[in-house]
Structure formats: structure tokens, C-alpha cells
Amino acid sequence: MRRSGLKLFPSSFWKSRRVEKSMRRVLPRSLLARSLLIVLIPLLITQGIALEVFYGNFLQVASRRLSDSVTSEIVLSLNALERLKKPADRQWFVEQAQQHLQLVESWHSNARLRRFGSTHVLGPMDEDLARALRASISYPFFVNWREDPHTVKISIQLPDGVLDVEAPRKRLDMGQIWLFVAWAVGSSLLLFVIASLFMRNQVRAIRRLAHAAEQFGLGRDIGPIRPAGAQEVRKAAVAFNRMQDRIYRFVSQRTGVLAGVSHDLRTPLTRLRLSLDMMPRTGMVRAEDIQPDVEDMIGDVAEMEHMIASYLAFARGEGAENVAETEIEPFLEDVAAAARRAGAHVFSVRVAPGLRVHMRPDAMRRALTNLVDNARRYAKHINLSAQGRSDGVVVMVDDDGPSIPPERRDSVLRAFESGRGGGTGLGLTISRDIVRAHGGEMELLDSPMGGLRVRLFLPR
């Protein structure tokens, strides 16, 4: 029995996919907005935890203690006023309470309260004071926090009147909460602004890199971009500049090849046209009479095939081959054996045992074969060697033939530069392009054998 494709995945998978899509709709799309969101959310959570710790623990504990203290003094006043019957004694106690307890008390005979409970203000002190009064006295009361910004008026309904008690607000109100909230909000805003400036600079560097890549994709030469921003963004900019330089060099070489194709093929094509025009068009023609012309045309066709094969090899490149870790010693031994079969006298192959490097074996074999074949034309003995470095491997091809003057070494690496007649001048260029495709470099030096040394560097 076949199972449907939807049942192959658990329901939790599809739920997570729906949640992910929903979050994508809510989250901002730009990198700057997402980065600021990453900064803002932990900042808000941290400040919220700090406020909860301060407001929910220290502030509430301190507010309860202050409310209990004021309530106990009010209860003391009620008890004393109930015990003191004489007006003079009561007046004396009211003065003592105002002087020592900072409580201003006034008595209103036969008065009645019209409101009960408490007016609400920011902070826990209103609820704490009302709770303490309910727990300590059995009379109805009303607490007014809004009548005077400096005092709190507490009105208590007694059987024969109303007792008004005015307590200093500073004895109940934790004024530091405003300072703490202002500090928390201000520091959060300051840190968010600083983070926004830093993130804006980082995103500006990324946008500059994206703009350069887009312009480069449209074929517009904007030149190298200046690395800026974080270390990773700078590395990306440097890598982009190197890539841009390699692509421009690649396009320039291929453009030169296309220009050279028409130039180099024009001569044999002209000879073929002349040979065909000079052939008789009427009458009997003997093969012996046109044999020299046919041989010349066959030679011209062979020359054209050789040049076209070189051009195709140069233009094709070696990018389709996979990179593999290759041991250098047997690799160079294979190249030397193939060169010996072609008639080259490879004198020695010197390689440190166990030396390995990541490369495209077929492409690198072709590059070294071109170099050995080039040396075979001019030299009697050839040496191959390789040595390891911390960042890669150096392969050297030495010969004892005539060297290339230093002033011509750069020019012979360009396409169509040849030191002998009949050559296409692409052998060294193909080898250098293959080495550069591996991220390495090729240079021409003087050899200890008296001839030319070709030094190849391949990164690990």
C-alpha cells in the first residue's frame, strides 16, 4: 500500500513550517532592521527584568514597610485620642504628633465621609497603605493622594466625627522609581542609538558590496571597491576585488584570443584561396600536375587544425573537473614518464615524500606537460622538483636551454607571444591560466641549470 507524500512527515513538521512562514511575514526584510531588532529585543528583556527585580521586590518591600510605619503611628494617635478626654490633652497630643511624628491631625465633629477607599497613583504605595489601614483599624477611611502633591490626606470615619491626618508624601512615596525608570529608558535609548550607528556603518559596507556586484554583473567597470566595515565584510570586499580582477583578465585574454583567431587563420586561408583560384577550371587535369598544390593545401589545413585545437584548448578552460587531494611525487613521475615517451630527457624528479595538495589533476597535468614540452624544444635536460610550504606547494620545472631575458618574461606569458616560428604562443598562457584557476601563480626565473626555471605555486 502506497503512502502519500504528506504522511511521510509528522504534523509537527508542517506546524513548524507554518510558524516559520508567519514569522517571515512579521519580521522585517532588511538586514539593518533585523540587526536592530536583534539588539533591541535582548535590551528590552534585560531592562524589563531589571524593572521587575527593582519594582517587584525592593520597591514593594520598602513601600510596605513605610506604609506599616505610618499606619502604626495613626493607630497610636487614634488610641491616644480615645483615652484622652480633655480638649487640652488632645490638643497637646496633636501638637506632639505634628512635631515628632510629622502628622498633622485635625478633628471634625459630627462630620461624615462621602468617599471611601483610595485614589490611585503610580507605584505600589497606594495599595500598600490601604492594605495596612484595613488590617490595623476597623473604621472606614479615605486616602487622597491627589489633593496636595507634598502630602497624603487620610480621613478616618469615627463614631462621633472624622479625623483628618496629613502625612508627608515623602514618607510613603518612593521617588527614586522615576530616577530608575528614567535611567533605564535613557540608557536603553542611548545604547540603541549607538548600536544603530554601528550597524548602519556595517550595512552600508554590505550595500556597497552588493551594488558593486550588481554593477559588475551588468558589465559596468566601477573599479575595485574600498574594503570597509567588519573584518568579514572587508574579506568579502577583498575577495570580490580579486574575483573582479581575475574575470576582467579572463575576458581580456579571451577577447585577445578571438582577435588573434582571425589574424592567424587569415594567412593559410589566403593561401588556400590562391591555390584554388590557380587551379584550371576546364579541360583535362592530371593529378601529377596539381600534386604540389594539393600537398600545400593539405599542409595549410593541418596548420589550421593545429591552431584551432590550441585555441579551443585555451578557450575551453578546466573548470568542469573536480578538485581532488593529490600526492605530488607519483603525479610528477607520471608527467616525467609521459615526457620521456615524447622524447624529452627528464634528468630527475625530486619531491619530498608524502607531499599532497588539492588540485584538478588533469588540468595540472596539462599545464606541466605544456611547460615540459616547451622546455624540450630548447633544452637537453629537464628537472622536476617540488617542495612544501606552510601555505601551499611549490613545483619547479628547470632546464639547461637558453633562458628568456628578464625584460621579455612578462610578454611571453601573454597570448600569441611565441619565441619560435610557427607556434601559437598559447602554451605558457594556458599553463598560467590553469595555475591561476587553482588560486596560485606562475613566474619565470633563472634556473641553477643555466636555463629557465618555471615556478608554480599551488595553495593548500
Side-chain angles (χ1 to χ4, degrees):
M1 181 177 179
R2 297 182 61 184
R3 301 171 62 184
S4 63
L6 293 177
K7 292 182 179 179
L8 295 177
F9 298 96
S11 59
S12 59
F13 172 79
W14 300 109
K15 290 181 180 178
S16 62
R17 294 284 294 178
R18 287 195 294 268
V19 171
E20 182 180 356
K21 290 182 179 179
S22 302
M23 291 185 64
R24 287 180 180 177
R25 297 190 188 99
V26 176
L27 292 177
R29 296 184 179 274
S30 65
L31 177 61
L32 178 60
R34 291 189 177 186
S35 301
L36 294 178
L37 192 63
I38 292 174
V39 174
L40 180 61
I41 290 178
L43 188 61
L44 292 178
I45 293 175
T46 303
Q47 297 296 348
I49 293 174
L51 284 172
E52 176 61 25
V53 170
F54 177 80
Y55 187 83
N57 292 280
F58 168 75
L59 183 61
Q60 290 185 354
V61 171
S63 178
R64 285 196 298 268
R65 291 178 179 177
L66 293 175
S67 298
D68 292 341
S69 175
V70 173
T71 301
S72 62
E73 294 173 359
I74 293 176
V75 172
L76 177 63
S77 299
L78 289 175
N79 294 334
L81 291 175
E82 289 179 355
R83 296 290 295 261
L84 298 175
K85 301 299 182 180
K86 296 181 180 181
D89 294 338
R90 286 188 172 187
Q91 182 64 30
W92 174 83
F93 180 81
V94 168
E95 293 176 356
Q96 293 297 314
Q98 182 177 0
Q99 182 178 357
H100 298 287
L101 302 180
Q102 298 180 348
L103 298 178
V104 179
E105 299 177 352
S106 58
W107 171 256
H108 304 280
S109 299
N110 300 323
R112 288 294 182 186
L113 288 179
R114 296 182 180 180
R115 298 178 61 186
F116 302 94
S118 173
T119 57
H120 296 286
V121 292
L122 181 64
M125 52 273 189
D126 54 348
E127 297 178 356
D128 291 337
L129 180 59
R131 177 196 54 80
L133 289 173
R134 291 192 194 98
S136 301
I137 63 177
S138 58
Y139 299 111
F141 62 87
F142 175 69
V143 181
N144 192 345
W145 293 82
R146 302 179 184 276
E147 184 174 339
D148 190 343
H150 302 290
T151 60
V152 179
K153 185 177 181 181
I154 305 169
S155 300
I156 303 173
Q157 178 67 64
L158 298 176
D160 53 350
V162 174
L163 176 65
D164 289 336
V165 180
E166 295 182 2
R169 193 184 183 99
K170 62 182 180 181
R171 293 192 58 187
L172 296 167
D173 190 359
M174 293 290 295
Q176 291 84 350
I177 187 174
W178 295 104
L179 179 62
F180 184 82
V181 171
W183 175 83
V185 174
S187 61
S188 300
L189 291 176
L190 179 61
L191 292 176
F192 185 72
V193 169
I194 295 175
S196 302
L197 295 177
F198 276 102
M199 291 305 304
R200 183 181 178 186
N201 292 333
Q202 302 305 316
V203 172
R204 184 187 295 116
I206 297 176
R207 287 176 178 171
R208 188 185 300 116
L209 179 60
H211 175 73
E214 183 178 1
Q215 296 298 313
F216 179 69
L218 296 175
R220 301 169 184 171
D221 185 9
I222 60 174
I225 60 176
R226 182 177 61 87
Q231 183 179 5
E232 292 78 6
V233 181
R234 290 175 179 268
K235 288 183 178 179
V238 171
F240 174 81
N241 289 335
R242 292 176 180 173
M243 178 199 69
Q244 184 176 227
D245 181 65
R246 286 196 299 265
I247 292 178
Y248 277 134
R249 187 169 60 242
F250 176 86
V251 173
S252 176
Q253 290 176 350
R254 267 51 182 179
T255 303
V257 168
L258 293 176
V261 167
S262 60
H263 178 270
D264 286 356
L265 292 181
R266 186 180 294 116
T267 300
L269 285 174
T270 302
R271 289 199 301 262
L272 283 173
R273 182 187 296 274
L274 290 175
S275 298
L276 292 174
D277 290 340
M278 294 178 64
M279 283 188 176
R281 303 299 177 91
T282 59
M284 297 293 295
V285 180
R286 293 190 307 168
E288 292 82 1
D289 295 337
I290 62 172
Q291 183 67 27
D293 294 332
V294 172
E295 291 179 354
D296 290 340
M297 287 189 288
I298 292 174
D300 290 336
V301 171
E303 181 181 354
M304 292 171 61
E305 288 179 345
H306 176 68
M307 286 188 292
I308 291 175
S310 298
Y311 298 147
L312 291 177
F314 176 74
R316 183 175 64 248
E318 305 293 341
E321 186 183 0
N322 294 327
V323 177
E325 187 178 17
T326 307
E327 190 172 356
I328 297 298
E329 185 175 10
F331 178 77
L332 291 185
E333 291 288 354
D334 292 342
V335 173
R340 292 189 184 101
R341 289 193 300 269
H345 186 190
V346 180
F347 187 72
S348 66
V349 178
R350 297 189 302 272
V351 183
L355 192 60
R356 308 177 72 89
V357 69
H358 288 84
M359 64 180 180
R360 300 181 180 92
D362 292 340
M364 192 54 60
R365 183 178 290 106
R366 181 175 166 213
L368 289 173
T369 300
N370 284 343
L371 297 177
V372 173
D373 197 41
N374 183 75
R376 180 177 61 84
R377 296 190 183 101
Y378 305 100
K380 296 181 179 179
H381 299 89
I382 303 171
N383 284 349
L384 298 178
S385 61
Q387 57 186 13
R389 288 185 0 188
S390 60
D391 55 345
V393 172
V394 176
V395 179
M396 289 171 287
V397 180
D398 293 290
D399 63 60
D400 59 354
S403 181
I404 299 176
E407 62 272 10
R408 292 194 62 244
R409 289 174 183 173
D410 291 335
S411 63
V412 297
L413 292 176
R414 294 195 293 265
F416 306 109
E417 291 287 342
S418 177
R420 60 188 293 269
T424 60
L426 291 174
L428 291 177
T429 307
I430 292 174
S431 298
R432 186 183 63 173
D433 282 359
I434 292 174
V435 174
R436 283 181 172 177
H438 285 74
E441 193 54 68
M442 185 179 87
E443 57 181 337
L444 306 181
L445 305 170
D446 291 327
S447 172
M449 298 175 62
L452 181 69
R453 164 176 283 183
V454 182
R455 179 180 177 274
L456 311 179
F457 169 72
L458 301 175
R460 293 188 183 275

